[in-house]
Amino acid sequence: MKLTSTLILVIWFSINGYINNNSFTEKSSPKIEIYTTFNDQHIVYRGIQNPIRIKIENNLPYQATGEGLVKIDDLGNYKLAPRSGKETTITVTGKDLNDIPYNVIKKFEIRDISSGISQFNSKHCKQCDLKLTKKELSEGVVSYNFPDLLIDGLKTEIISFKIKLPGKPTKKVFGNKIKSTALIKEILKVKRGSQIQLFEIQIKSNLPARVCKVPPIIIRLID
């Protein structure tokens, strides 16, 4: 019985000594953030350079790898150009404060850039005519949007467009609306049911990709 008690005490002191000797060792893996500054949906787009930001707690050194991933600076800024597939990953590796290796993988959904839509007074009609009054046409605003793109701060601006009235020469309009008094007078003379085209719409956008072709807007007067 005495031998058993002695053995228990020896084991207890051994365990207690191990705990005390290791109680000051903390396994503190760093907090890591990997995200696109386009949106908070973890979505990147094929065909453009998507801005990527990587933040590591305590500014620990790390390595980031991924298909189409390019480092921009030493502040955690990258560009990602997704290729094939529906998903891509970024892998970040390094060592924490205790020199313990870590490996973090971040997944992003890949989407194709869909075509934008031309609008007049925020209305859009694909493969059909927009039915407007002469007043609505004279005072309306041309716009161009990308409804399927989840990109924060995406902006587009209409630089110019051309307008074709029946039996009249094509006129170029600068800006997003008709301001010429002479052109408005010509519109007021157009017959009811006539078709009017707005085409060669030129836009400027902060989307990091070239918009090759902007669809025309076909309008039919109802008065």
Side-chain angles (χ1 to χ4, degrees):
M1 181 68 181
K2 185 177 181 179
L3 180 61
T4 303
S5 300
T6 302
L7 182 59
I8 291 174
L9 286 173
V10 170
I11 294 174
W12 185 86
F13 279 116
S14 298
I15 294 174
N16 187 56
Y18 177 81
I19 292 174
N20 289 333
N21 289 335
N22 291 275
S23 61
F24 298 101
T25 301
E26 297 179 358
K27 294 184 179 181
S28 53
S29 297
K31 181 181 178 181
I32 302 173
E33 295 181 78
I34 309 169
Y35 59 93
T36 171
T37 56
F38 267 167
N39 54 66
D40 58 0
Q41 305 293 319
H42 312 304
I43 296 170
V44 292
Y45 293 94
R46 201 185 332 269
I48 64 175
Q49 298 287 333
N50 297 262
I52 299 294
R53 179 83 167 143
I54 298 177
K55 291 183 179 180
I56 306 292
E57 188 180 20
N58 299 315
N59 294 320
L60 292 170
Y62 65 91
Q63 288 187 333
T65 57
E67 187 178 39
L69 185 69
V70 177
K71 184 177 180 179
I72 302 300
D73 55 33
D74 293 326
L75 302 176
N77 294 304
Y78 293 78
K79 294 289 187 182
L80 178 64
R83 297 170 188 171
S84 60
K86 296 182 178 180
E87 189 177 83
T88 188
T89 60
I90 295 176
T91 302
V92 173
T93 58
K95 293 184 178 181
D96 65 14
L97 292 173
N98 297 310
D99 207 33
I100 298 175
Y102 65 82
N103 182 74
V104 175
I105 298 175
K106 177 71 174 185
K107 295 181 179 180
F108 291 92
E109 177 188 348
I110 300 175
R111 293 187 183 180
D112 292 317
I113 296 180
S114 58
S115 299
I117 58 173
S118 304
Q119 295 180 310
F120 194 86
N121 282 351
S122 300
K123 296 178 181 178
H124 168 70
C125 188
K126 188 176 182 180
Q127 296 181 344
C128 62
D129 300 344
L130 279 178
K131 294 178 172 56
L132 302 174
T133 65
K134 295 174 184 177
K135 180 178 174 63
E136 288 173 327
L137 174 58
S138 301
E139 299 178 354
V141 175
V142 178
S143 60
Y144 188 79
N145 297 295
F146 298 91
D148 296 329
L149 294 189
L150 299 175
I151 298 180
D152 296 336
L154 179 61
K155 298 178 181 179
T156 58
E157 178 185 348
I158 302 298
I159 303 301
S160 65
F161 62 92
K162 291 183 178 180
I163 181 169
K164 182 68 174 72
L165 303 179
K168 299 289 183 178
T170 297
K171 299 288 181 67
K172 187 170 185 177
V173 177
F174 291 94
N176 62 354
K177 64 183 302 182
I178 299 169
K179 299 175 183 178
S180 168
T181 302
L183 182 53
I184 292 175
K185 287 181 178 179
E186 289 185 9
I187 291 173
L188 295 177
K189 295 178 183 178
V190 176
K191 293 181 179 180
R192 177 182 179 180
S194 296
Q195 188 183 78
I196 296 174
Q197 297 184 43
L198 309 182
F199 61 102
E200 291 188 19
I201 302 171
Q202 302 295 317
I203 74 165
K204 181 171 67 175
S205 172
N206 61 351
L207 179 71
R210 183 181 177 185
V211 180
C212 297
K213 187 177 181 181
V214 179
I217 300 172
I218 310 300
I219 295 169
R220 191 168 297 279
L221 296 178
I222 59 175
D223 65 351

